[in-house]
């Protein structure tokens, strides 16, 4: 088994943090995304969509999509449960994971990809107006999240889950997207400091 | 238990088709999205993000996000398995479900929301250039999917899954988004005719 990794990019990091929380070691194959290596033969032949990370099993089976790769390891190594437990618990983690992605991480990504000069050759066409339109959407979600985090320790409840991983990485991604986390979101700040203090955050 | 439903909109329909495939009856509370009822108190108090569908359990617990609601019912009623079976099978369904959503359905939705005149008050700001940029992305994905469907019956393998539901509804959503399914995508057409012929497609 080997994991084609993309360094600093948010999606590869989501899987690395997830594996660190699980205590699972998977051999990494570094792919230099800045040098566009993810569009080369090695990745394209495994994932025609040319996205990272890509997991290759020993029999050659390919898994892509970071959340799908995480779920594979969750099924193989259920503890600690990072996708929730029980029917309602699993559904609540899925709800929050998707809220953190669709209403927050994807907005931050759009702001980065459509505004940052370095992304001009990546995102074609780059539409700065669309990038800018996503910044207030991300902030609006963070205000909603702040109210939710006033009642509980983690995004989806009392336990750390994949929704916290997605959220932490989306907050970190705000820096290159040039979105500032407002100081008055005290509950988001408390949560963000707690999740980034975990050893897995360095993965 | 009751499901706040949104009629013709893609996400409410995803859950109704899923429930029909499972043979599960859930009382529906109709919400008229054309009349903006999803922004009224009844929905907003249950889902501050003002999106449908919303599932309310008998104890008042709220679940939102169509895929999270589907997963709740999958856990309660595992047969037929619409999220896959086994670690690898579940991961492969998740991979395809996400590919169908992120690389296809979301592109069709952007084309609809940012170009269609009726969406002007919904999507603020409406950015036609962004809507148009998504049409070739959706078509590019459909070409990739056509090659994949030359080898198997359904999107994620030999069984019908939630990835087929997402895909079918995204293809149907192409009509208001004014994207035409190319005639030469014979495998996509074969699959689309098969999934729309299932009784659940009418849900």
């Amino acid at each position: 088994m080997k994991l084609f990794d993309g360094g600093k990019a948010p999606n590869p990091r989501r899987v690395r943090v997830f594996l660190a929380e699980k205590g699972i070691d998977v051999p990494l194959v570094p792919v230099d995304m800045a040098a566009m290596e993810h569009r080369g033969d090695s990745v394209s032949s495994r994932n025609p969509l040319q996205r990272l990370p890509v997991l290759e099993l020993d029999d050659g089976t390919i898994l892509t999509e970071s959340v799908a790769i995480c779920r594979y390891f969750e099924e193989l190594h259920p503890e600690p449960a990072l996708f929730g437990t029980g029917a309602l618990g699993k559904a609540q983690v899925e709800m929050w994971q998707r809220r953190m992605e669709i209403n927050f991480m994807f907005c931050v990504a759009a702001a980065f990809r459509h505004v940052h000069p370095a992304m001009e050759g990546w995102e074609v066409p780059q539409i700065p107006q669309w990038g800018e339109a996503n910044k207030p959407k991300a902030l609006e979600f963070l205000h909603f999240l702040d109210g939710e985090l006033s009642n509980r320790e983690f995004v989806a409840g009392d336990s750390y889950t994949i929704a916290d991983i997605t959220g932490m990485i989306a907050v970190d991604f705000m820096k290159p997207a040039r979105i500032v986390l407002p100081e008055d979101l005290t509950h988001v700040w408390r949560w963000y400091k707690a999740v980034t203090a975990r050893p897995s955050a360095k993965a």
Side-chain angles (χ1 to χ4, degrees), chain A:
Chain A
M1 186 188 291
K2 55 190 171 181
L3 182 66
F4 291 79
D5 182 46
K8 287 182 188 172
N11 282 319
R13 188 172 164 225
R14 288 164 88 182
V15 174
R16 293 199 309 275
V17 172
F18 188 92
L19 293 172
E21 287 283 340
K22 289 275 187 187
I24 301 171
D25 266 323
V26 176
L28 298 184
V29 180
V31 180
D32 185 348
M33 294 182 77
M36 292 284 187
E37 278 184 13
H38 58 295
R39 299 195 185 172
D41 284 348
S42 175
V43 172
S44 299
S45 63
R46 292 173 171 89
N47 182 11
L49 299 176
Q50 301 182 321
R51 284 172 178 81
L52 290 171
V54 172
L55 181 70
E56 183 173 295
L57 306 186
D58 291 340
D59 68 357
T61 300
I62 296 294
L63 276 178
T64 72
E65 295 297 329
S66 31
V67 177
I69 294 171
C70 291
R71 190 173 297 276
Y72 178 68
F73 288 111
E74 177 88 354
E75 293 290 327
L76 292 179
H77 306 275
E79 299 292 333
L82 298 178
F83 279 92
T85 54
L88 183 60
K90 287 180 182 180
Q92 286 171 324
V93 171
E94 180 108 27
M95 173 177 80
W96 277 103
Q97 154 67 7
R98 293 177 64 84
R99 282 177 162 180
M100 297 301 276
E101 267 194 331
I102 297 170
N103 301 106
F104 179 36
M105 188 186 209
F106 290 177
C107 295
V108 177
F112 175 66
R113 295 178 67 97
H114 285 274
V115 177
H116 201 289
M119 286 294 103
E120 204 181 340
W122 290 56
E123 187 67 42
V124 181
Q126 201 180 37
I127 303 170
Q129 191 192 358
W130 172 240
E132 293 295 342
N134 274 277
K135 294 181 181 180
K137 290 180 204 284
L139 290 170
E140 188 184 352
F141 180 81
L142 284 169
H143 276 90
F144 165 59
L145 181 64
D146 198 64
E148 295 286 322
L149 286 173
S150 69
N151 298 317
R152 56 183 186 268
E153 193 172 350
F154 295 107
V155 168
D158 297 328
S159 303
Y160 179 95
T161 69
I162 190 169
D164 296 288
I165 298 176
T166 299
M168 173 183 75
I169 289 173
V171 170
D172 286 339
F173 200 28
M174 288 168 66
K175 195 175 173 186
R178 295 173 192 167
I179 306 170
V180 177
L181 184 61
E183 281 184 26
D184 64 339
L185 300 183
T186 53
H187 305 292
V188 172
W189 271 108
R190 184 264 309 153
W191 160 82
Y192 176 68
K193 285 174 184 165
V195 293
T196 50
R198 298 168 79 95
S200 64
K202 295 185 183 68

